[in-house]
Amino acid sequence: MTRLPATVAAAGLAAALLTAAAPQQLDGWEGRSWQAYSSIAMAITGDITTTPTAIVFGNGASLAVQAVQQGVPGLWGFESAPGPATVLQVVPPANPVLLEGNTLCGMQPTYITLAVVADGSLAMTVYGGSAVPTSSQSDDVCAIYYYGPM
């Protein structure tokens, strides 16, 4: 049996501890500001800021959320290639008044998925049903918004 030098073993242990203590990365959307990219996003939400606990809209309104699932594979937004998304639950239930008196969804939003897609833009899909979303190809989808990085 070969023994590793103490410095190599200590470096490996330190790397393992640092990895375990590092904050968990969601899917690349957290803690970022996004510029409204699609016409519907420009008209309803304006630019947004996303954090693991809230989405803040262009008029200053916010929506409290909590992550339910991370790295969920599927088709998100209008994308034709599958990719990962984070599923967020809207807690407590809310449908804030946004730009020009619009709301995020025509019904009470229950879940939101955020997915950074291939071109680096953000697809935000809003759902109004009780089932946890598995893709944007759901009858519970009430709106899809696109944003570009700022």
Side-chain angles (χ1 to χ4, degrees):
M1 180 166 144
T2 308
R3 293 186 54 129
L4 294 174
T7 54
V8 173
L13 177 60
L17 290 173
L18 287 173
T19 301
Q24 187 172 10
Q25 175 100 5
L26 296 178
D27 289 318
W29 54 262
E30 67 280 10
R32 295 182 61 184
S33 293
W34 299 90
Q35 182 176 12
Y37 181 71
S38 63
S39 58
I40 191 169
M42 288 182 221
I44 295 177
T45 68
D47 298 342
I48 64 171
T49 300
T50 54
T51 73
T53 58
I55 299 171
V56 181
F57 300 97
N59 69 346
S62 65
L63 191 62
V65 295
Q66 67 182 22
V68 174
Q69 296 176 330
Q70 301 168 19
V72 179
L75 293 174
W76 306 106
F78 295 114
E79 300 303 305
S80 58
T86 297
V87 178
L88 304 169
Q89 185 172 21
V90 178
V91 210
N95 198 7
V97 175
L98 302 174
L99 300 177
E100 304 297 326
N102 290 301
T103 57
L104 191 60
C105 182
M107 60 183 92
Q108 181 70 46
T110 52
Y111 292 96
I112 293 174
T113 57
L114 296 176
V116 177
V117 297
D119 67 357
S121 63
L122 178 72
M124 179 173 80
T125 307
V126 183
Y127 303 80
S130 59
V132 175
T134 56
S135 83
S136 293
Q137 315 300 310
S138 163
D139 291 339
D140 293 334
V141 171
C142 64
I144 299 174
Y145 302 93
Y146 273 90
Y147 305 88
M150 291 183 117

